[in-house]
Amino acid sequence: MKIEGLILAGGKSRRMGGIHKGNMELGKNTFTEIIWEELKKDCGNINVSYGDVVHDTHKDWGIVKDIYPDCGPIGGLQAGLRACRGDTVFVAACDMPFLQIEFYRYLAQYMEGADAVVPVVNGRLHPLSAVYKSSAHKVFEAQIQKKNYKIICSLEKMRVMYLNLKSDKFAWMMQNINTMEEYQEAKKLFGKRSNICRELRLTRQEISCLKK
């Protein structure tokens, strides 16, 4: 299984006053850099998907722009998955800087026979931080061409494993930063991040056992 990474960074960041969330910093790195550092542990190639404006570049990641502009996150998913050469893609929203590679390894355990594994926390789906087959871009493109930009409608046409994350091992990672207030709270949590990660660090064998 060849794994690639995709960071979705094409949002307008309206609730942040137009400040691009992927460029906000925790510690010495931007959100995008933090996520990239995690994904590169397993992903041979990582792309960052933007809308029509590229907010940052890096010699070690590819840049993907929307093929279908102004249709929201589904456009980033479609273009990003289409650009991937591997069959399995770890997808991350750029405003979720607490995502860890163990989370994706856990989801990937359930990919057999599925087009996507989508986490669910407290009844809320998180399709922008999930694992997909790269071929899923065809379903998203068909949905876009119908002028229906709801990701959930595309998921209904795929073989999707919805994984309910009840354990604190992973649910805490699903925090997305949308406001300045949430950003300030994230700074406080980030200071404790290394300790939390050591406590929750899982080997591949332990992750496999969680599935049973």
Side-chain angles (χ1 to χ4, degrees), residues 29-160:
N29 295 312
T30 66
F31 286 10
T32 302
E33 289 169 340
I34 292 168
I35 297 169
W36 173 74
E37 286 286 347
E38 281 298 311
L39 293 182
K40 76 174 185 178
K41 294 174 182 177
D42 280 15
C43 300
N45 181 65
I46 299 171
N47 289 320
V48 180
S49 174
Y50 290 106
D52 55 358
V53 178
V54 176
H55 296 279
D56 194 11
T57 59
H58 192 287
K59 65 181 180 66
D60 291 322
W61 67 51
I63 298 296
V64 178
K65 298 181 74 173
D66 286 358
I67 298 170
Y68 299 94
D70 301 319
C71 58
I74 194 173
L77 270 174
Q78 185 275 328
L81 293 175
R82 186 176 184 270
C84 290
R85 298 183 295 273
D87 61 342
T88 300
V89 186
F90 291 176
V91 176
C94 74
D95 62 357
M96 300 180 77
F98 295 107
L99 291 168
Q100 300 286 300
I101 196 62
E102 288 79 14
F103 162 77
Y104 288 100
R105 290 172 181 168
Y106 178 58
L107 266 58
Q109 298 285 319
Y110 294 85
M111 276 300 289
E112 185 175 354
D115 298 312
V117 178
V118 176
V120 183
V121 179
N122 296 324
R124 179 187 174 190
L125 305 183
H126 288 272
L128 302 185
S129 291
V131 178
Y132 290 90
K133 291 292 186 185
S134 57
S135 57
H137 77 86
K138 299 174 185 177
V139 180
F140 289 122
E141 182 170 26
Q143 195 71 38
I144 291 170
Q145 290 176 343
K146 294 178 181 177
K147 306 298 183 183
N148 182 343
Y149 305 142
K150 294 181 179 179
I151 293 175
I152 188 66
C153 293
S154 294
L155 296 180
E156 290 172 355
K157 298 177 176 63
M158 299 182 197
R159 298 168 298 173
V160 179

Side-chain angles (χ1 to χ4, degrees), residues 140-194:
F140 289 122
E141 182 170 26
Q143 195 71 38
I144 291 170
Q145 290 176 343
K146 294 178 181 177
K147 306 298 183 183
N148 182 343
Y149 305 142
K150 294 181 179 179
I151 293 175
I152 188 66
C153 293
S154 294
L155 296 180
E156 290 172 355
K157 298 177 176 63
M158 299 182 197
R159 298 168 298 173
V160 179
M161 168 67 76
Y162 294 101
L163 209 55
N164 192 9
L165 300 184
K166 297 179 181 179
S167 170
D168 288 341
K169 285 185 183 295
F170 301 114
W172 74 277
M173 300 179 189
M174 305 305 294
Q175 302 177 63
N176 56 326
I177 313 303
N178 289 314
T179 66
M180 291 305 297
E181 290 75 18
E182 290 172 348
Y183 180 43
Q184 295 306 318
E185 289 299 315
K187 287 182 178 180
K188 296 176 185 177
L189 181 58
F190 191 78
K192 305 174 184 177
R193 178 174 177 262
S194 59

